[in-house]
Amino acid sequence: MRKLLPLPLIVLILLISCVYAQKISQAKLVGTWVLNKNQINYPIIIFENKEAIFKSRGDTIYRFNYSVRGQELILTDINKNVSKAIIVNLSKDTLIFRSLLENKEEQHYLRKRK
């Protein structure tokens, strides 16, 4: 019976670590973020209090209302279409999405200093 005790303890620790994954606050996103590679879509994202502005290399600008739930960024466009993106990491200088809209690979952004 003693040999089985560590396995449930390990499972419990793993479950607790999943539940307490990094929670992102919307305020931490506010600012200008620059993609770390050359890409046409969304090389610059500006997060304001409730609005996200996605710029493209051309003259196109996309505007979304946004919110954050756990590690999920929720974008709502003017037509009420909703898109979601998982935030893998957010620090004071780095923002990483698992994928972002039609860009299916990880997207790494750096915070632009004023």
Side-chain angles (χ1 to χ4, degrees):
M1 188 83 129
R2 271 187 170 262
K3 291 182 182 179
L4 295 177
L5 187 59
L7 182 60
L9 184 60
I10 291 171
V11 170
L12 180 63
I13 291 169
L14 288 174
L15 286 173
I16 289 172
S17 68
C18 290
V19 169
Y20 291 105
Q22 179 186 16
K23 294 198 178 186
I24 309 294
S25 86
Q26 200 163 321
K28 290 182 180 178
L29 283 174
V30 172
T32 301
W33 298 89
V34 180
L35 191 64
N36 72 345
K37 64 181 176 180
N38 189 12
Q39 181 173 288
I40 292 174
N41 289 335
Y42 327 125
I44 298 174
I45 301 175
I46 302 167
F47 287 101
E48 296 174 344
N49 288 331
K50 294 185 185 234
E51 185 178 49
I53 302 164
F54 286 52
K55 295 185 176 184
S56 287
R57 292 235 184 258
D59 60 355
T60 307
I61 296 176
Y62 304 91
R63 293 181 184 273
F64 300 91
N65 288 326
Y66 78 98
S67 62
V68 177
R69 188 175 350 167
Q71 288 185 265
E72 191 172 54
L73 174 68
I74 302 164
L75 301 167
T76 307
D77 69 16
I78 194 167
N79 297 316
K80 305 294 184 203
N81 296 316
V82 175
S83 300
K84 297 178 181 179
I86 300 296
I87 299 172
V88 176
N89 187 27
L90 174 63
S91 69
K92 71 176 193 169
D93 297 321
T94 304
L95 171 60
I96 302 173
F97 294 102
R98 182 172 296 152
S99 63
L100 184 61
L101 300 171
E102 71 273 5
N103 300 317
K104 299 304 177 196
E105 69 268 355
E106 275 193 354
Q107 303 289 296
H108 294 247
Y109 287 85
L110 300 173
R111 187 182 296 272
K112 183 178 179 182
R113 296 287 171 211
K114 293 182 179 183

